[in-house]
Amino acid sequence: MAGKGMHQDKSKLRGKESALAELEARCQELGIKVVYDDLRGEGGLCRVRERFWLIVNRRVSVATKIRLLNDALKKVGEKAAETPIETSTVARARTGHKSS
């Protein structure tokens, strides 16, 4: 019986690791640089100039990593939705000038 429970635990871990890999890929698509390092806390999202960085403690559980990546994706997604159109693009549209 113990073998069956262990198999289910490994299957759950593989599922979580797969979800983590998918979230990492989505972060990359949105331009979020994900870095794993030794930290005192869990980690978090920050922005350096115009680039988002998610720094994650490499020793936290896979579930915590998933939560941190999900939170970062939500925050960056909200920021992207709030970002106004570049002023020069609006000015070109009003004047009829095309970009070179």
Side-chain angles (χ1 to χ4, degrees):
M1 293 278 188
K4 186 176 183 181
M6 182 180 271
H7 176 70
Q8 288 175 344
D9 290 343
K10 286 183 181 180
S11 177
K12 285 182 184 179
L13 181 61
R14 270 189 248 122
K16 286 182 180 180
E17 288 173 346
S18 175
L20 180 63
E22 183 179 323
L23 289 170
E24 289 170 341
R26 287 173 56 195
C27 282
Q28 185 175 7
E29 289 171 6
L30 282 178
I32 303 170
K33 175 73 174 170
V34 180
V35 178
Y36 293 96
D37 205 348
D38 293 324
L39 306 171
R40 290 186 181 179
E42 292 180 340
L45 182 69
C46 64
R47 189 167 80 181
V48 178
R49 297 193 178 122
E50 295 301 316
R51 180 142 192 200
F52 286 98
W53 290 71
L54 177 62
I55 304 170
V56 180
N57 186 337
R58 75 174 80 233
R59 293 175 283 163
V60 297
S61 69
V62 175
T64 300
K65 291 174 184 174
I66 288 171
R67 180 179 48 80
L68 289 168
L69 269 73
N70 266 324
D71 290 348
L73 286 165
K74 286 178 190 173
K75 287 178 184 174
V76 171
E78 290 169 2
K79 295 282 185 203
E82 294 172 1
T83 303
I85 298 172
E86 186 181 335
T87 307
S88 60
T89 303
V90 173
R92 280 195 302 267
R94 284 186 188 149
T95 60
H97 290 100
K98 295 181 181 177
S99 59
S100 1

